[in-house]
Amino acid sequence: MARRSDSQGRLDDAARAGWLYYVAGRTQDEIAAAMGISRQSAQRLVSLAVAERLIKVRLDHPISACLELSNALRDKFNLRYIDVVPSDPVGTSSTVGIAEAAAAEIERWLKKPEPIVLAIGTGRTLKAAVDQLPYMECPQHRIVSLTGNITPDGSAAYYNVIFSMADAIKARHFPMPLPVLCSSSEERVLLHGQPIVQSTLTLGAAADVTFVGIGELGEDAPLCVDGFLAPEDMAALMGRGAVGEICGWMFDKNGALLADPINDRVASVPIPPRERGTVIGVALGRRKERSMAAALRGGMINGLITDEKTAEHMLAA
């Protein structure tokens, strides 16, 4: 690790304190405890972050430790895009920091003057990111949902973000008017054969950039909590080697899609080709580390937004 100069180290500390104060919402006492400094020092660092114009709407300083982790992850997994944000030492939120970073990257793509196809998955973190997008007029772009928006009881899926994006982004939107899981593989074939669904499948395959969550498995995983899979089905699936899911697609420890009856029922658009586009996973936390490592190892994603601690564990995976 390169040795930091005193001034660079001071700015790094100011950037970290500024992030904890303005993004994570920590008090100066909490910042002092987290960084092992006095309250007065924490106050001065936050003030320095403002004076040096590091704080705008988002943190405007790349903390060198995050940059080093980003470069190491890029090299290890051959990533097209990587953003590692600071970790909140005492935070319990699974979205703070990475939601802001994802919103910034989505906004960057939407500001492109040339037309693009942006595909998006579903989940709590992506919804938190989309909720932070400013109102934008970009009629040259097309936004496509990779996942169905209908729950098992027929209601709209709460964390399907395509409709939230439609409120913020003036661009053509293409929802996937299907359940997340079909009742059978035959039903999926029938539904995917409909012209309105065919157009969405074709558009998703042509995505220039894709943002997806990376789901863990288990009885308290979203697929069970939200009623898409029964606990006994989840246990059986894990017994057959599944370790994670992206848009409902189950994969094993090597990041290969599982040859399993569950995947035969997934109505989602297949994960867009990584050879032609950028597929960015947005996730953090110990519960997701096994699924994240598998997705990276198998090349299911070629971009990642995560935090420092998770990045360190991915490098050791």
Side-chain angles (χ1 to χ4, degrees):
M1 184 178 293
R3 185 175 180 179
R4 299 181 301 175
S5 67
D6 289 342
S7 60
Q8 180 63 48
R10 180 86 173 152
L11 281 179
D12 277 1
D13 290 339
R16 187 178 298 276
W19 185 90
L20 288 169
Y21 187 78
Y22 287 100
V23 178
R26 302 295 162 209
T27 66
Q28 291 177 359
D29 286 333
E30 289 172 330
I31 295 170
M35 297 183 66
I37 56 179
S38 68
R39 185 183 186 280
Q40 291 75 18
S41 294
Q43 184 179 27
R44 285 194 291 270
L45 286 174
V46 173
S47 297
L48 178 61
V50 175
E52 292 292 331
R53 299 181 183 275
L54 306 182
I55 301 297
K56 297 178 182 176
V57 176
R58 302 183 178 99
L59 185 63
D60 195 30
H61 177 79
I63 296 174
S64 55
C66 293
L67 283 179
E68 290 169 2
L69 288 168
S70 296
N71 290 333
L73 282 170
R74 188 191 308 274
D75 292 342
K76 179 174 181 176
F77 295 109
N78 192 29
L79 299 177
R80 285 192 183 186
Y81 177 82
I82 175 69
D83 189 5
V84 175
V85 306
S87 294
D88 179 1
V90 295
T92 58
S93 172
S94 61
T95 65
V96 68
I98 63 168
E100 287 81 359
E105 183 61 9
I106 293 171
E107 185 178 342
R108 186 182 73 81
W109 278 90
L110 291 174
K111 285 182 175 178
K112 291 178 177 288
E114 66 274 12
I116 66 165
V117 176
L118 186 151
I120 194 155
T122 187
R124 292 159 176 79
T125 304
L126 288 178
K127 187 175 188 305
V130 168
D131 286 345
Q132 297 187 40
L133 290 175
Y135 177 79
M136 301 176 68
E137 292 197 17
C138 37
Q140 73 275 28
H141 302 323
R142 289 174 290 176
I143 316 296
V144 59
S145 176
L146 295 181
T147 58
N149 52 40
I150 301 172
T151 64
D153 66 2
S155 61
Y158 180 72
Y159 291 107
N160 190 290
V161 302
I162 192 75
F163 303 114
S164 299
M165 286 197 76
D167 291 337
I169 309 302
K170 191 174 181 181
R172 295 181 68 192
H173 288 73
F174 297 82
M176 191 66 164
L178 298 178
V180 176
L181 286 174
C182 298
S183 60
S184 66
S185 59
E186 292 79 12
E187 181 183 65
R188 184 182 74 170
V189 171
L190 178 65
L191 292 174
H192 276 194
Q194 303 304 306
I196 191 173
V197 176
Q198 280 284 308
S199 63
T200 302
L201 292 169
T202 301
L203 194 60
D208 298 287
V209 63
T210 302
F211 293 86
V212 294
I214 303 173
E216 76 277 15
L217 301 186
E219 289 189 8
D220 54 353
L223 282 174
C224 277
V225 173
D226 297 337
F228 295 107
L229 279 179
E232 57 270 22
D233 293 331
M234 175 64 77
L237 187 63
M238 295 173 68
R240 296 193 294 269
V243 302
E245 59 89 12
I246 293 177
C247 296
W249 295 104
M250 305 292 172
F251 53 88
D252 64 19
K253 64 181 181 180
N254 297 313
L257 287 179
L258 209 63
D260 191 272
I262 289 292
N263 275 343
D264 293 337
R265 294 168 47 204
V266 175
S268 301
V269 177
I271 301 169
R274 276 71 74 196
E275 296 76 21
R276 69 169 303 277
T278 304
V279 180
I280 300 173
V282 186
L284 62 76
R286 295 305 298 267
R287 291 176 56 186
K288 292 180 179 286
E289 284 176 5
R290 191 180 182 203
S291 56
M292 291 176 64
L296 286 166
R297 197 179 298 123
M300 299 190 75
I301 56 175
N302 57 13
L304 180 67
I305 297 174
T306 191
D307 75 338
E308 287 173 292
K309 285 195 176 299
T310 309
E312 290 169 354
H313 293 147
M314 291 303 98
L315 287 171

